[in-house]
Each structure stands twice: as structure tokens, then as C-alpha cells.
Amino acid sequence: MEEHNIITKRNNVVSSSSSSSSSMLVLIICSVLIHWSIVHTPQAEAARAFFVFGDSLVDNGNNNFLATTARADSYPYGIDSPSHRASGRFSNGLNMPDLISEKIGSEPTLPYLSPELDGERLLIGANFASAGIGILNDTGIQFINIIRIREQLEYFKQYQRRVAALIGEQETEDLVNQALVLITLGGNDFVNNYYLVPFSARSREFALPDYVVFLISEYRKILESLYELGARRVLVTGTGPLGCVPAELALHSRNGECAVQLQAAVNLFNPQLVQLINQLNSQIGSNVFISANAFTMHLDFVNNPQEYGFVTSKVACCGQGAYNGIGLCTPASNLCPNRDLFAFWDPFHPSEKANRLIVDKFMTGSTEYMSPMNLSTIMELDSRI
């Protein structure tokens, strides 16, 4: 009987050990399957990741999570969006990154600061943009707490660490290398820095031509950092016709003519940015950086609004004062009933319809708009790799 009990105990131990080993094996298999499913989900394979850096033209809600006045989180912003609610986009509806996501067959990127950006959603990409920022750290200081471009790049590093923990370092490197990147900077360095107030610190430090050279030298460092962080397809937008936005017309225009000083600044900045992009591509030996001529894209409908279905390109849909260009767009502002008839949504930002026209040029525009190639050509070339 004692021998029988000993044998029984031994069998129980073996059974327990076998059961434990089986459980461990099941856990390992489940872990591997979960990892595989994350990497190989239809969403992950359907479209390339998309990363966005820059200012309010491309911010889709990061500033909602910051203590700053540079926000678009209340009515009537977002009035024409699918949810009809303000999301932090400086638009009546969708903005440029949303529309590019549509074109490349991807879900819209989430703001990097959003708690919803986690797990599998990280594989779609992320939007790091923050309204009010510029190339320079002292641009937009009046907005206090915004994500300056160097901080955006630090968040990009953090993003890559988070994704590596999810899918592995090599898969993360591939995801970033194959991603599309959009960066939009420069406008605020004039509007919210050099020309912010008469005799600003930067205007006393630099004559305008020298200031532009300084901006370009700093932008070079930013683009080089993006490349070092793995970006291999980067759409770089020049600045639009800053002197023609309703806010500047309200301040500087008597008869609707564009503000001369700001137009002069843009005409210095944009050609030097294109030159920088060409230099970088030549050094790298590949067309990593793509120049998007935002100036001409905007000027098309600024000069000929009726041709594009607008009734005006001078008066903002939402605002007050001359050209609806004074102050912010708020619930108390004048609000046009049909946003599709206005090229500008608020004193500074295009309407969704105008954004759609701009993104159409991104996709199919000639080399006058997109150099050395448009986004459709990029997607076709990259699909063969």
C-alpha cells in the first residue's frame, strides 16, 4: 500500500509538471500569435504609415492636451467634420493630413498626445504637429506651451521605441523607412516672430534676407534629423502666400491687395527651401525630400476664386472685422452658411474645400507644384520595391 501511494504521488507530480509545461507552451504560442497578428493585420499591410510634423496647418489635436491659447477645440471648428465637433483641427472639417490619409488608403493619424494612440493604432503612424510652432524655438512664444519642432522629433524617437516594444526593432525600422512623412514649417517664423510686432527682436537682429538664410540653415538641421531618424519619403511644403490671408489683409490692406512685406519674405524663403531640398537629395543620392509648392497651390485660388467654385478668397468664413480677419474664430464670430464657397475658413487657415484642392495637387500636380515628383508617382514607384 505504501509503495502504491508513493507511485501515485510521483504520477501526480509528473502530471502537474506536464500540465505546467503545457500551460507555458500555450502561453508562448499565444504570445507569438499575438505578435504575428499585430504585425500582419490588414490595417498594417493595407497602407504605409504616415507621420506629420509642423504647425496649425497640419495639427489635428495635439494642442488640445496642452495649456495653450493656440487651440481649435471649440465650436465652430469642425462644424463640417464627420462628427460635427471640434477636434483640434484648424478647419471647418478635414485638414491636409486627413485628406492625404484618404489618398493613400489609410486611417487618419491620431495626435501623438492622444491616449487613444496605443497598441495596433501606432502602426498607422502619428501626428506630432502643434499649432503655433516654427523652425525657430522662439517662434510662437506668446502661445507658451506648444510642441516645438525639436520636441516633435524627440516624440518621434519615443514613438519608435514604443513600436519596437510592440513589433520588434527591425520591423519598426522597416515601418519608418517605408512611411510617408509630411512636414509644414516656416509661416509662423514670419507671422508669429519676425513681423509679430514692430521692431521685433529678430527684425532688429537680422535684415530680412539674412533672416531667411538663417531660417534655411536651421531647417536643414531639422530635415537632416528626420533623415537620421529613418524618414525616407518626406513631403516638405513651402509657405503659402502669407500676405494674402484674411488676417494680414485686415492689418495691412486697403483695397484687398496682399501685404507686400510678407509676400517679399515668402518670395525669398520658398526658392531657398527648394534649393536646400535639392542639395540634400544630391548629398543622399536619392529623392528623399519632395518639394510641395504651397505658394502656387494657394495662389491659384487666391487669384481666381471663382474658377475654383469660391465666392471669395479674401474674406474668411469665420471671424470678425475687416475681411473677417480680426481675432479668433469663436462661437460669437460671423459664420458663413456655406463653407464650400470660401477659400479661407478662419483668418489664417484654408477651408476643407481649399485643402482638398491643395491635396489634389500633391497627388497629381505637375513639377510646377511637386518636385521632383508628385505623390501618385511616389506611390507607384514605391509599390515596386
Side-chain angles (χ1 to χ4, degrees), residues 59-92:
D59 183 357
N60 68 346
N62 279 309
N63 282 20
N64 289 1
F65 302 95
L66 303 172
T68 178
T69 56
R71 298 164 73 108
D73 59 346
S74 61
Y75 177 87
Y77 284 97
I79 189 172
D80 298 313
S81 68
S83 68
H84 305 291
R85 298 175 63 184
S87 62
R89 292 162 171 82
F90 286 76
S91 172
N92 58 301

PDB file of all heavy atoms in Angstrom, residues 59-92:
ATOM      1  N   ASP A  59      -1.756  70.356 -37.643  1.00  0.00           N
ATOM      2  CA  ASP A  59      -2.077  69.878 -36.291  1.00  0.00           C
ATOM      3  C   ASP A  59      -3.487  69.293 -36.286  1.00  0.00           C
ATOM      4  O   ASP A  59      -4.424  69.918 -36.780  1.00  0.00           O
ATOM      5  CB  ASP A  59      -1.992  71.058 -35.309  1.00  0.00           C
ATOM      6  CG  ASP A  59      -2.237  70.680 -33.849  1.00  0.00           C
ATOM      7  OD1 ASP A  59      -2.528  69.506 -33.566  1.00  0.00           O
ATOM      8  OD2 ASP A  59      -2.146  71.581 -33.000  1.00  0.00           O
ATOM      9  N   ASN A  60      -3.651  68.086 -35.750  1.00  0.00           N
ATOM     10  CA  ASN A  60      -5.004  67.513 -35.683  1.00  0.00           C
ATOM     11  C   ASN A  60      -5.453  67.237 -34.252  1.00  0.00           C
ATOM     12  O   ASN A  60      -6.294  66.382 -34.015  1.00  0.00           O
ATOM     13  CB  ASN A  60      -5.120  66.260 -36.549  1.00  0.00           C
ATOM     14  CG  ASN A  60      -4.311  65.090 -36.008  1.00  0.00           C
ATOM     15  OD1 ASN A  60      -3.461  65.275 -35.135  1.00  0.00           O
ATOM     16  ND2 ASN A  60      -4.556  63.900 -36.533  1.00  0.00           N
ATOM     17  N   GLY A  61      -4.868  67.997 -33.296  1.00  0.00           N
ATOM     18  CA  GLY A  61      -5.410  67.910 -31.944  1.00  0.00           C
ATOM     19  C   GLY A  61      -4.406  67.801 -30.816  1.00  0.00           C
ATOM     20  O   GLY A  61      -4.808  67.684 -29.653  1.00  0.00           O
ATOM     21  N   ASN A  62      -3.115  67.832 -31.121  1.00  0.00           N
ATOM     22  CA  ASN A  62      -2.137  67.754 -30.023  1.00  0.00           C
ATOM     23  C   ASN A  62      -2.306  68.881 -29.014  1.00  0.00           C
ATOM     24  O   ASN A  62      -2.180  68.673 -27.801  1.00  0.00           O
ATOM     25  CB  ASN A  62      -0.705  67.763 -30.573  1.00  0.00           C
ATOM     26  CG  ASN A  62      -0.270  66.395 -31.057  1.00  0.00           C
ATOM     27  OD1 ASN A  62      -0.396  65.402 -30.344  1.00  0.00           O
ATOM     28  ND2 ASN A  62       0.227  66.341 -32.282  1.00  0.00           N
ATOM     29  N   ASN A  63      -2.612  70.080 -29.522  1.00  0.00           N
ATOM     30  CA  ASN A  63      -2.715  71.223 -28.601  1.00  0.00           C
ATOM     31  C   ASN A  63      -3.918  71.141 -27.674  1.00  0.00           C
ATOM     32  O   ASN A  63      -3.997  71.872 -26.684  1.00  0.00           O
ATOM     33  CB  ASN A  63      -2.714  72.537 -29.391  1.00  0.00           C
ATOM     34  CG  ASN A  63      -1.322  72.933 -29.846  1.00  0.00           C
ATOM     35  OD1 ASN A  63      -0.419  72.103 -29.902  1.00  0.00           O
ATOM     36  ND2 ASN A  63      -1.123  74.197 -30.167  1.00  0.00           N
ATOM     37  N   ASN A  64      -4.856  70.239 -27.976  1.00  0.00           N
ATOM     38  CA  ASN A  64      -5.979  70.016 -27.056  1.00  0.00           C
ATOM     39  C   ASN A  64      -5.490  69.539 -25.691  1.00  0.00           C
ATOM     40  O   ASN A  64      -6.166  69.730 -24.679  1.00  0.00           O
ATOM     41  CB  ASN A  64      -6.924  68.938 -27.605  1.00  0.00           C
ATOM     42  CG  ASN A  64      -7.717  69.411 -28.805  1.00  0.00           C
ATOM     43  OD1 ASN A  64      -7.567  70.541 -29.259  1.00  0.00           O
ATOM     44  ND2 ASN A  64      -8.556  68.545 -29.335  1.00  0.00           N
ATOM     45  N   PHE A  65      -4.315  68.901 -25.693  1.00  0.00           N
ATOM     46  CA  PHE A  65      -3.797  68.305 -24.464  1.00  0.00           C
ATOM     47  C   PHE A  65      -2.779  69.215 -23.770  1.00  0.00           C
ATOM     48  O   PHE A  65      -2.108  68.789 -22.835  1.00  0.00           O
ATOM     49  CB  PHE A  65      -3.147  66.952 -24.793  1.00  0.00           C
ATOM     50  CG  PHE A  65      -4.101  65.988 -25.452  1.00  0.00           C
ATOM     51  CD1 PHE A  65      -4.152  65.869 -26.828  1.00  0.00           C
ATOM     52  CD2 PHE A  65      -4.976  65.224 -24.695  1.00  0.00           C
ATOM     53  CE1 PHE A  65      -5.034  64.991 -27.438  1.00  0.00           C
ATOM     54  CE2 PHE A  65      -5.864  64.347 -25.290  1.00  0.00           C
ATOM     55  CZ  PHE A  65      -5.900  64.233 -26.668  1.00  0.00           C
ATOM     56  N   LEU A  66      -2.678  70.461 -24.248  1.00  0.00           N
ATOM     57  CA  LEU A  66      -1.702  71.403 -23.712  1.00  0.00           C
ATOM     58  C   LEU A  66      -2.391  72.654 -23.189  1.00  0.00           C
ATOM     59  O   LEU A  66      -3.458  73.040 -23.685  1.00  0.00           O
ATOM     60  CB  LEU A  66      -0.699  71.804 -24.799  1.00  0.00           C
ATOM     61  CG  LEU A  66       0.076  70.674 -25.469  1.00  0.00           C
ATOM     62  CD1 LEU A  66       0.884  71.215 -26.649  1.00  0.00           C
ATOM     63  CD2 LEU A  66       0.986  69.979 -24.466  1.00  0.00           C
ATOM     64  N   ALA A  67      -1.771  73.287 -22.221  1.00  0.00           N
ATOM     65  CA  ALA A  67      -2.274  74.566 -21.711  1.00  0.00           C
ATOM     66  C   ALA A  67      -1.747  75.682 -22.601  1.00  0.00           C
ATOM     67  O   ALA A  67      -0.691  76.253 -22.370  1.00  0.00           O
ATOM     68  CB  ALA A  67      -1.816  74.766 -20.272  1.00  0.00           C
ATOM     69  N   THR A  68      -2.487  75.957 -23.666  1.00  0.00           N
ATOM     70  CA  THR A  68      -2.075  76.960 -24.647  1.00  0.00           C
ATOM     71  C   THR A  68      -3.301  77.647 -25.233  1.00  0.00           C
ATOM     72  O   THR A  68      -4.403  77.075 -25.237  1.00  0.00           O
ATOM     73  CB  THR A  68      -1.252  76.312 -25.780  1.00  0.00           C
ATOM     74  OG1 THR A  68      -0.898  77.311 -26.752  1.00  0.00           O
ATOM     75  CG2 THR A  68      -2.043  75.218 -26.484  1.00  0.00           C
ATOM     76  N   THR A  69      -3.097  78.858 -25.736  1.00  0.00           N
ATOM     77  CA  THR A  69      -4.188  79.567 -26.412  1.00  0.00           C
ATOM     78  C   THR A  69      -4.290  79.163 -27.876  1.00  0.00           C
ATOM     79  O   THR A  69      -5.272  79.511 -28.546  1.00  0.00           O
ATOM     80  CB  THR A  69      -3.969  81.086 -26.324  1.00  0.00           C
ATOM     81  OG1 THR A  69      -2.680  81.407 -26.876  1.00  0.00           O
ATOM     82  CG2 THR A  69      -4.044  81.564 -24.886  1.00  0.00           C
ATOM     83  N   ALA A  70      -3.294  78.452 -28.389  1.00  0.00           N
ATOM     84  CA  ALA A  70      -3.301  78.030 -29.794  1.00  0.00           C
ATOM     85  C   ALA A  70      -4.095  76.736 -29.924  1.00  0.00           C
ATOM     86  O   ALA A  70      -3.551  75.644 -30.091  1.00  0.00           O
ATOM     87  CB  ALA A  70      -1.870  77.849 -30.295  1.00  0.00           C
ATOM     88  N   ARG A  71      -5.414  76.873 -29.824  1.00  0.00           N
ATOM     89  CA  ARG A  71      -6.292  75.703 -29.819  1.00  0.00           C
ATOM     90  C   ARG A  71      -7.458  75.898 -30.787  1.00  0.00           C
ATOM     91  O   ARG A  71      -7.880  77.017 -31.053  1.00  0.00           O
ATOM     92  CB  ARG A  71      -6.861  75.458 -28.422  1.00  0.00           C
ATOM     93  CG  ARG A  71      -5.817  75.154 -27.368  1.00  0.00           C
ATOM     94  CD  ARG A  71      -6.388  75.297 -25.982  1.00  0.00           C
ATOM     95  NE  ARG A  71      -7.289  74.202 -25.644  1.00  0.00           N
ATOM     96  CZ  ARG A  71      -6.993  73.234 -24.773  1.00  0.00           C
ATOM     97  NH1 ARG A  71      -5.830  73.237 -24.165  1.00  0.00           N
ATOM     98  NH2 ARG A  71      -7.844  72.287 -24.498  1.00  0.00           N
ATOM     99  N   ALA A  72      -7.972  74.765 -31.259  1.00  0.00           N
ATOM    100  CA  ALA A  72      -9.160  74.782 -32.114  1.00  0.00           C
ATOM    101  C   ALA A  72     -10.111  73.686 -31.632  1.00  0.00           C
ATOM    102  O   ALA A  72     -10.541  72.832 -32.402  1.00  0.00           O
ATOM    103  CB  ALA A  72      -8.764  74.558 -33.567  1.00  0.00           C
ATOM    104  N   ASP A  73     -10.428  73.757 -30.361  1.00  0.00           N
ATOM    105  CA  ASP A  73     -11.192  72.675 -29.731  1.00  0.00           C
ATOM    106  C   ASP A  73     -12.605  73.090 -29.338  1.00  0.00           C
ATOM    107  O   ASP A  73     -13.218  72.458 -28.478  1.00  0.00           O
ATOM    108  CB  ASP A  73     -10.447  72.139 -28.508  1.00  0.00           C
ATOM    109  CG  ASP A  73     -10.187  73.208 -27.454  1.00  0.00           C
ATOM    110  OD1 ASP A  73     -10.345  74.397 -27.761  1.00  0.00           O
ATOM    111  OD2 ASP A  73      -9.817  72.837 -26.315  1.00  0.00           O
ATOM    112  N   SER A  74     -13.100  74.154 -29.945  1.00  0.00           N
ATOM    113  CA  SER A  74     -14.469  74.578 -29.635  1.00  0.00           C
ATOM    114  C   SER A  74     -15.199  75.012 -30.910  1.00  0.00           C
ATOM    115  O   SER A  74     -14.570  75.319 -31.928  1.00  0.00           O
ATOM    116  CB  SER A  74     -14.448  75.732 -28.616  1.00  0.00           C
ATOM    117  OG  SER A  74     -13.760  76.851 -29.132  1.00  0.00           O
ATOM    118  N   TYR A  75     -16.512  75.019 -30.836  1.00  0.00           N
ATOM    119  CA  TYR A  75     -17.361  75.431 -31.951  1.00  0.00           C
ATOM    120  C   TYR A  75     -16.971  76.850 -32.389  1.00  0.00           C
ATOM    121  O   TYR A  75     -16.630  77.671 -31.557  1.00  0.00           O
ATOM    122  CB  TYR A  75     -18.825  75.399 -31.490  1.00  0.00           C
ATOM    123  CG  TYR A  75     -19.833  75.861 -32.518  1.00  0.00           C
ATOM    124  CD1 TYR A  75     -20.354  74.962 -33.440  1.00  0.00           C
ATOM    125  CD2 TYR A  75     -20.233  77.201 -32.575  1.00  0.00           C
ATOM    126  CE1 TYR A  75     -21.271  75.397 -34.390  1.00  0.00           C
ATOM    127  CE2 TYR A  75     -21.139  77.625 -33.521  1.00  0.00           C
ATOM    128  CZ  TYR A  75     -21.656  76.725 -34.437  1.00  0.00           C
ATOM    129  OH  TYR A  75     -22.547  77.154 -35.381  1.00  0.00           O
ATOM    130  N   PRO A  76     -16.991  77.123 -33.701  1.00  0.00           N
ATOM    131  CA  PRO A  76     -17.487  76.308 -34.816  1.00  0.00           C
ATOM    132  C   PRO A  76     -16.420  75.482 -35.548  1.00  0.00           C
ATOM    133  O   PRO A  76     -16.682  74.983 -36.649  1.00  0.00           O
ATOM    134  CB  PRO A  76     -18.089  77.351 -35.749  1.00  0.00           C
ATOM    135  CG  PRO A  76     -17.234  78.555 -35.567  1.00  0.00           C
ATOM    136  CD  PRO A  76     -16.836  78.545 -34.110  1.00  0.00           C
ATOM    137  N   TYR A  77     -15.216  75.352 -34.991  1.00  0.00           N
ATOM    138  CA  TYR A  77     -14.244  74.449 -35.608  1.00  0.00           C
ATOM    139  C   TYR A  77     -14.848  73.047 -35.697  1.00  0.00           C
ATOM    140  O   TYR A  77     -15.551  72.602 -34.790  1.00  0.00           O
ATOM    141  CB  TYR A  77     -12.937  74.432 -34.803  1.00  0.00           C
ATOM    142  CG  TYR A  77     -12.112  75.676 -35.027  1.00  0.00           C
ATOM    143  CD1 TYR A  77     -12.167  76.744 -34.134  1.00  0.00           C
ATOM    144  CD2 TYR A  77     -11.300  75.802 -36.156  1.00  0.00           C
ATOM    145  CE1 TYR A  77     -11.430  77.899 -34.350  1.00  0.00           C
ATOM    146  CE2 TYR A  77     -10.559  76.959 -36.378  1.00  0.00           C
ATOM    147  CZ  TYR A  77     -10.629  78.005 -35.476  1.00  0.00           C
ATOM    148  OH  TYR A  77      -9.908  79.151 -35.702  1.00  0.00           O
ATOM    149  N   GLY A  78     -14.597  72.375 -36.814  1.00  0.00           N
ATOM    150  CA  GLY A  78     -15.096  71.020 -37.004  1.00  0.00           C
ATOM    151  C   GLY A  78     -16.563  70.929 -37.378  1.00  0.00           C
ATOM    152  O   GLY A  78     -17.118  69.835 -37.425  1.00  0.00           O
ATOM    153  N   ILE A  79     -17.177  72.050 -37.696  1.00  0.00           N
ATOM    154  CA  ILE A  79     -18.627  72.066 -37.950  1.00  0.00           C
ATOM    155  C   ILE A  79     -19.029  71.148 -39.102  1.00  0.00           C
ATOM    156  O   ILE A  79     -20.125  70.584 -39.110  1.00  0.00           O
ATOM    157  CB  ILE A  79     -19.107  73.521 -38.195  1.00  0.00           C
ATOM    158  CG1 ILE A  79     -20.626  73.593 -38.241  1.00  0.00           C
ATOM    159  CG2 ILE A  79     -18.488  74.111 -39.460  1.00  0.00           C
ATOM    160  CD1 ILE A  79     -21.164  75.016 -38.285  1.00  0.00           C
ATOM    161  N   ASP A  80     -18.134  70.972 -40.084  1.00  0.00           N
ATOM    162  CA  ASP A  80     -18.449  70.130 -41.237  1.00  0.00           C
ATOM    163  C   ASP A  80     -17.719  68.786 -41.212  1.00  0.00           C
ATOM    164  O   ASP A  80     -17.723  68.051 -42.204  1.00  0.00           O
ATOM    165  CB  ASP A  80     -18.109  70.870 -42.534  1.00  0.00           C
ATOM    166  CG  ASP A  80     -18.924  72.140 -42.698  1.00  0.00           C
ATOM    167  OD1 ASP A  80     -20.149  72.076 -42.505  1.00  0.00           O
ATOM    168  OD2 ASP A  80     -18.340  73.197 -42.992  1.00  0.00           O
ATOM    169  N   SER A  81     -17.093  68.461 -40.094  1.00  0.00           N
ATOM    170  CA  SER A  81     -16.401  67.172 -39.970  1.00  0.00           C
ATOM    171  C   SER A  81     -17.433  66.064 -39.812  1.00  0.00           C
ATOM    172  O   SER A  81     -18.613  66.332 -39.537  1.00  0.00           O
ATOM    173  CB  SER A  81     -15.470  67.196 -38.760  1.00  0.00           C
ATOM    174  OG  SER A  81     -16.227  67.246 -37.562  1.00  0.00           O
ATOM    175  N   PRO A  82     -17.035  64.811 -39.986  1.00  0.00           N
ATOM    176  CA  PRO A  82     -17.997  63.714 -39.819  1.00  0.00           C
ATOM    177  C   PRO A  82     -18.730  63.738 -38.480  1.00  0.00           C
ATOM    178  O   PRO A  82     -19.912  63.408 -38.402  1.00  0.00           O
ATOM    179  CB  PRO A  82     -17.114  62.456 -39.955  1.00  0.00           C
ATOM    180  CG  PRO A  82     -16.002  62.898 -40.846  1.00  0.00           C
ATOM    181  CD  PRO A  82     -15.730  64.322 -40.470  1.00  0.00           C
ATOM    182  N   SER A  83     -18.036  64.150 -37.413  1.00  0.00           N
ATOM    183  CA  SER A  83     -18.670  64.189 -36.086  1.00  0.00           C
ATOM    184  C   SER A  83     -19.358  65.526 -35.812  1.00  0.00           C
ATOM    185  O   SER A  83     -20.113  65.654 -34.845  1.00  0.00           O
ATOM    186  CB  SER A  83     -17.614  63.958 -34.999  1.00  0.00           C
ATOM    187  OG  SER A  83     -16.717  65.064 -34.936  1.00  0.00           O
ATOM    188  N   HIS A  84     -19.086  66.533 -36.661  1.00  0.00           N
ATOM    189  CA  HIS A  84     -19.594  67.906 -36.479  1.00  0.00           C
ATOM    190  C   HIS A  84     -19.141  68.508 -35.155  1.00  0.00           C
ATOM    191  O   HIS A  84     -19.783  69.399 -34.611  1.00  0.00           O
ATOM    192  CB  HIS A  84     -21.126  67.953 -36.586  1.00  0.00           C
ATOM    193  CG  HIS A  84     -21.645  67.377 -37.867  1.00  0.00           C
ATOM    194  ND1 HIS A  84     -21.450  67.973 -39.095  1.00  0.00           N
ATOM    195  CD2 HIS A  84     -22.333  66.229 -38.122  1.00  0.00           C
ATOM    196  CE1 HIS A  84     -22.006  67.233 -40.051  1.00  0.00           C
ATOM    197  NE2 HIS A  84     -22.546  66.162 -39.474  1.00  0.00           N
ATOM    198  N   ARG A  85     -18.019  68.025 -34.661  1.00  0.00           N
ATOM    199  CA  ARG A  85     -17.482  68.541 -33.399  1.00  0.00           C
ATOM    200  C   ARG A  85     -16.040  68.992 -33.594  1.00  0.00           C
ATOM    201  O   ARG A  85     -15.314  68.462 -34.438  1.00  0.00           O
ATOM    202  CB  ARG A  85     -17.527  67.451 -32.320  1.00  0.00           C
ATOM    203  CG  ARG A  85     -18.931  66.982 -31.991  1.00  0.00           C
ATOM    204  CD  ARG A  85     -18.915  65.819 -31.017  1.00  0.00           C
ATOM    205  NE  ARG A  85     -18.334  66.196 -29.734  1.00  0.00           N
ATOM    206  CZ  ARG A  85     -18.131  65.335 -28.743  1.00  0.00           C
ATOM    207  NH1 ARG A  85     -18.432  64.056 -28.901  1.00  0.00           N
ATOM    208  NH2 ARG A  85     -17.608  65.753 -27.602  1.00  0.00           N
ATOM    209  N   ALA A  86     -15.622  69.962 -32.794  1.00  0.00           N
ATOM    210  CA  ALA A  86     -14.242  70.448 -32.848  1.00  0.00           C
ATOM    211  C   ALA A  86     -13.294  69.360 -32.354  1.00  0.00           C
ATOM    212  O   ALA A  86     -13.541  68.738 -31.318  1.00  0.00           O
ATOM    213  CB  ALA A  86     -14.093  71.704 -32.000  1.00  0.00           C
ATOM    214  N   SER A  87     -12.225  69.135 -33.116  1.00  0.00           N
ATOM    215  CA  SER A  87     -11.277  68.067 -32.777  1.00  0.00           C
ATOM    216  C   SER A  87      -9.876  68.593 -32.510  1.00  0.00           C
ATOM    217  O   SER A  87      -8.992  67.822 -32.142  1.00  0.00           O
ATOM    218  CB  SER A  87     -11.202  67.064 -33.940  1.00  0.00           C
ATOM    219  OG  SER A  87     -10.716  67.724 -35.104  1.00  0.00           O
ATOM    220  N   GLY A  88      -9.674  69.891 -32.717  1.00  0.00           N
ATOM    221  CA  GLY A  88      -8.337  70.452 -32.622  1.00  0.00           C
ATOM    222  C   GLY A  88      -7.748  70.789 -33.972  1.00  0.00           C
ATOM    223  O   GLY A  88      -6.670  71.383 -34.059  1.00  0.00           O
ATOM    224  N   ARG A  89      -8.454  70.418 -35.051  1.00  0.00           N
ATOM    225  CA  ARG A  89      -8.020  70.786 -36.396  1.00  0.00           C
ATOM    226  C   ARG A  89      -8.438  72.234 -36.669  1.00  0.00           C
ATOM    227  O   ARG A  89      -9.574  72.613 -36.382  1.00  0.00           O
ATOM    228  CB  ARG A  89      -8.646  69.870 -37.443  1.00  0.00           C
ATOM    229  CG  ARG A  89      -8.150  68.440 -37.382  1.00  0.00           C
ATOM    230  CD  ARG A  89      -9.093  67.513 -38.127  1.00  0.00           C
ATOM    231  NE  ARG A  89      -8.555  66.163 -38.269  1.00  0.00           N
ATOM    232  CZ  ARG A  89      -8.608  65.231 -37.331  1.00  0.00           C
ATOM    233  NH1 ARG A  89      -9.183  65.506 -36.162  1.00  0.00           N
ATOM    234  NH2 ARG A  89      -8.104  64.029 -37.541  1.00  0.00           N
ATOM    235  N   PHE A  90      -7.552  73.004 -37.266  1.00  0.00           N
ATOM    236  CA  PHE A  90      -7.860  74.397 -37.588  1.00  0.00           C
ATOM    237  C   PHE A  90      -8.559  74.445 -38.945  1.00  0.00           C
ATOM    238  O   PHE A  90      -8.046  74.946 -39.937  1.00  0.00           O
ATOM    239  CB  PHE A  90      -6.575  75.238 -37.574  1.00  0.00           C
ATOM    240  CG  PHE A  90      -6.065  75.501 -36.184  1.00  0.00           C
ATOM    241  CD1 PHE A  90      -5.409  74.508 -35.465  1.00  0.00           C
ATOM    242  CD2 PHE A  90      -6.258  76.734 -35.572  1.00  0.00           C
ATOM    243  CE1 PHE A  90      -4.952  74.734 -34.176  1.00  0.00           C
ATOM    244  CE2 PHE A  90      -5.813  76.969 -34.279  1.00  0.00           C
ATOM    245  CZ  PHE A  90      -5.156  75.974 -33.580  1.00  0.00           C
ATOM    246  N   SER A  91      -9.761  73.900 -38.946  1.00  0.00           N
ATOM    247  CA  SER A  91     -10.535  73.748 -40.177  1.00  0.00           C
ATOM    248  C   SER A  91     -12.007  73.602 -39.821  1.00  0.00           C
ATOM    249  O   SER A  91     -12.358  73.242 -38.696  1.00  0.00           O
ATOM    250  CB  SER A  91     -10.058  72.499 -40.931  1.00  0.00           C
ATOM    251  OG  SER A  91     -10.888  72.194 -42.025  1.00  0.00           O
ATOM    252  N   ASN A  92     -12.855  73.854 -40.815  1.00  0.00           N
ATOM    253  CA  ASN A  92     -14.277  73.563 -40.637  1.00  0.00           C
ATOM    254  C   ASN A  92     -14.536  72.063 -40.719  1.00  0.00           C
ATOM    255  O   ASN A  92     -15.570  71.576 -40.274  1.00  0.00           O
ATOM    256  CB  ASN A  92     -15.130  74.278 -41.687  1.00  0.00           C
ATOM    257  CG  ASN A  92     -14.744  73.924 -43.109  1.00  0.00           C
ATOM    258  OD1 ASN A  92     -13.593  74.134 -43.514  1.00  0.00           O
ATOM    259  ND2 ASN A  92     -15.678  73.402 -43.884  1.00  0.00           N
TER     260      ASN A  92
END
